[in-house]
Amino acid sequence: MKSVDHSAIVILGASGDLARRKLIPALDSLKQSGRIGENCVVVGSGRKEFSDEEFRSHVDASPAIAPLLHYHAGIPGLKAYLGGLGRFETVIVFFSLPPKVYADTAAALEEEGFGEETRIIVEKPFGYDVESSRELNRRLAEHFPEVNIYRIDHYLAKEAVQNILVFRFANSLFYPTWNSGYIESIQINASEELGVESRGSYFDGAGVLRDMVQNHLMQMLSLMTMEAPVTLESEDIRVQKVNVLKALEVVRFARGQYEGYRSEPMVDPDSTTETYAELELRIRNFRWEGVPVYIRTGKALGRKGTEIGIRFKKLPKLLYNHDGNLEPNRIIFQIQPTTGIVIDHTVKVPGTDRTIAQSQLDFCLSDAFGPPVVEDAYQRLLMDALDGDRTLYVSAQETELAWKVLEEVVNQDELFLYRRGSMPKSALGVDWIDFTGYQSGC
Ligand code: BG6
């Protein structure tokens, strides 16, 4: 188990919701499980004036984390304030701030004297399109080297997402089949039941292409299709993800919006922001040429579930597949809410005739190993940042390339409407795997 001591965790924007709901509870769990030691400090910073005590009560600190918590208003004087609390080998600064102030904040931190010992953690969105993401990366790089910039994509912290590389590269059975010779298509689905709720003002300026596809779904796609890295070091993995993104192109896409979206709070009544998107992409490299990759994601849909389906090629019309109707093999990566992997295959039904049927090999993560030790994405991400491990963080190049792939798609207006709580029929005519059957396993 990784553990750290003599580290400082600074949260900028500490009076906000994220600190109270996610960051402090994550740090609390890390403290309780002994992964952050007694000599660490957590310093909240923000525009509000709090005493340490007021800050502790503002974030509902538990007795375990409370002694580590301090508060300092604003960035000026923060470095000296930290110096008064102790000597820290590592300082991580979490930007719980609106992205538009990231660059100025990085400049202010540098001016304040935060140097090589400092790692900054930023949340998406990293820009709005290719140009703005380049500009943001350029400005951050003026103040902190890329190795000290940690861009969060919380999907990378999901157990089932991390399992993708293990499944692919730790199983001799599947590795040889992972290419256009055997695989017919790859389908990535992320359906959500909730609409935009209270996030209208952010979401209406984004849409699912920016909110989900550019980051989370592109990351899953890269892990699913990248070449084997030379080592498991984060740089070697990033190189391979970058190669996928460089070869990726959108072939077709469709955008949808749920009925009633325009009346949601803080949403423009004439909005053409998409709450649903479906894309066909291709990866122009030797491994994947000719294999379509489909992505579908949306809000206010009829079900909640994130899955990746690998559909293998059909067998020739021989033997058990005389009529051509034999289901091809499928592997379903259940990302959430169920976490596991299902392999669909064909078996003989017991008896004297030759009846065959579909069956499933079912791996359910929690049945196999019990509930995960690290449950919350922020625990994992904060621990990795403290430990200097960037594997689950996204590089500047990855974000820019992902924006580039979507360049032609993000500024479109054309939309179809769908009913809230429904599952729109494929606008691209994709034969989507019925993923509903894969969420009951465990
Ligand atoms: C966030 C998006 O990054 O991911 C949200 O901003 C989305 O709009 C969420 O709902 C989905 O995350 P999860 O972990 O619930 O699938």
Side-chain angles (χ1 to χ4, degrees), residues 124 154-155 158 192 199 202-203 211-212 215-216 299 304 306 336:
K124 75 177 221 324
H154 79 278
Y155 264 56
K158 291 184 191 282
E192 295 188 70
R199 297 169 75 224
Y202 151 74
F203 186 87
D211 184 49
M212 291 289 290
N215 35 72
H216 310 321
K299 298 208 174 278
K304 176 174 170 59
T306 304
Q336 62 186 24

Side-chain angles (χ1 to χ4, degrees), residues 328-349:
N329 289 121
R330 288 194 286 230
I331 302 180
I332 311 296
F333 293 76
Q334 300 162 299
I335 308 296
Q336 62 186 24
T338 304
T339 304
I341 298 173
V342 177
I343 301 175
D344 275 341
H345 60 292
T346 307
V347 292
K348 178 180 178 299
V349 177

Side-chain angles (χ1 to χ4, degrees), residues 159-160 163 167 332-343 360-372 438-442:
E159 279 294 339
N163 200 22
F167 183 87
I332 311 296
F333 293 76
Q334 300 162 299
I335 308 296
Q336 62 186 24
T338 304
T339 304
I341 298 173
V342 177
I343 301 175
Q360 298 187 334
L361 289 171
D362 206 337
F363 159 68
C364 169
L365 188 109
S366 55
D367 281 359
F369 300 109
Y438 292 93
Q439 285 295 352
S440 51
C442 55

Side-chain angles (χ1 to χ4, degrees), residues 7 12 31 117 173 175 180 195 266 275 317 330 381 387 421:
S7 298
L12 302 180
K31 174 72 177 44
E117 77 295 351
L173 184 57
Y175 181 72
S180 60
M266 312 292 284
T275 59
K317 287 187 178 172
R330 288 194 286 230
L381 291 166
D387 194 44

Side-chain angles (χ1 to χ4, degrees), residues 412-434:
Q412 303 289 330
D413 282 343
E414 211 173 305
L415 279 172
F416 64 86
L417 292 179
Y418 62 96
R419 209 164 28 79
R420 216 191 152 104
S422 69
M423 204 61 187
K425 188 165 152 285
S426 171
L428 303 181
V430 177
D431 178 16
W432 279 98
I433 296 169
D434 179 7

Side-chain angles (χ1 to χ4, degrees), residues 68-83:
L68 270 52
L69 290 188
H70 304 270
Y71 188 84
H72 176 83
I75 292 177
L78 185 57
K79 180 80 177 167
Y81 179 79
L82 264 188

